[in-house]
Amino acid sequence: MSSVAVRRVDGEFRRRLTAAFSWQTDRGVSSSYADVTGWWRDPDLIRELGPALVGLYAEAPTVVLGPVSRGALVGALTAASLGVGFVEVRKDDGQAIDSDRWVKRTTGPDYQDRHLVFGFRRELIKAGDRVLMVDDWADTGATARVVRELVDACGAHWIGAACIVDALTDTRLRHELPLRALLDVRAL
């Protein structure tokens, strides 16, 4: 089993991630939303995100998975930093033709109480692959759980889930998945 040096993400990188983030609200509306677009605007953050995410684990993946939409962005950055392949995990999408074999699973409730179908073409993940899932945000853990089921269905080895922000409310998932993050939502 190949390994990588676990890269300690320094406080300065985390400070820059936090500074580029904002909570946005509209006048007269009590709710807010997470605006992560500042992360994508900063070329230094973009360059450092992939290595920082893969550095959360000691085991080197042979492929990185990223759920659409922002997981695909940070997943591709992570895969490129390692020089390995990337697989986009599609949401509520299906095969284009009947002979196109897909693996699909439905999530438990997500942060909007939806049940989504995730999947990818079966041929993209091999039984010997070591798989790391990457995403920008973990809230309920539903996406990471279903992606792990997809990886298991392919007979591949699940390393874990790496994300930029951990907003999990069920702390058991950090150990079950395992899930590791660059930032805790409370820091934002």
Side-chain angles (χ1 to χ4, degrees):
M1 203 172 324
S2 181
S3 68
V4 294
V6 175
R7 180 177 179 258
R8 182 166 166 75
V9 179
D10 65 25
E12 175 60 20
F13 180 71
R14 286 187 164 101
R15 186 201 61 73
R16 290 185 296 126
L17 275 174
T18 303
F21 173 88
S22 66
W23 291 104
Q24 298 292 324
T25 58
D26 272 337
R27 282 176 281 154
V29 178
S30 61
S31 63
S32 61
Y33 74 92
D35 182 1
V36 300
T37 57
W39 295 339
W40 318 139
R41 180 62 180 96
D42 185 320
D44 293 327
L45 286 178
I46 288 279
R47 187 180 65 254
E48 296 173 52
L49 264 175
L53 285 164
V54 79
L56 295 172
Y57 289 88
E59 189 174 349
T62 57
V63 65
V64 174
L65 270 64
V68 295
S69 65
R70 292 188 300 233
L73 171 64
V74 293
L77 292 170
T78 304
S81 75
L82 284 168
V84 301
F86 170 74
V87 174
E88 177 184 57
V89 182
R90 301 259 178 109
K91 185 186 326 182
D92 293 327
D93 199 11
Q95 56 208 51
I97 55 176
D98 288 340
S99 61
D100 194 14
R101 193 168 150 228
W102 278 61
V103 287
K104 297 180 189 178
R105 295 291 186 275
T106 303
T107 68
D110 71 356
Y111 68 100
Q112 293 180 334
D113 206 28
R114 301 171 300 181
H115 296 268
L116 304 169
V117 177
F118 281 93
F120 50 80
R121 284 194 347 263
R122 173 60 187 92
E123 68 190 44
L124 297 174
I125 300 296
K126 310 290 186 229
D129 279 327
R130 295 182 311 276
V131 180
L132 177 66
M133 188 201 94
V134 176
D135 208 348
D136 68 323
W137 200 282
D139 196 23
T140 65
T143 300
R145 279 188 275 189
V146 82
V147 172
R148 183 176 189 169
E149 289 175 18
L150 291 166
V151 169
D152 291 346
C154 294
H157 171 70
W158 171 264
I159 294 172
C163 62
I164 300 172
V165 177
D166 175 352
L168 288 174
T169 53
D170 185 348
T171 58
R172 295 173 299 175
L173 292 175
R174 286 186 193 97
H175 303 288
E176 281 176 25
L177 288 170
L179 182 131
R180 297 181 186 157
L182 298 173
L183 296 173
D184 185 291
V185 72
R186 294 171 294 197
L188 301 174

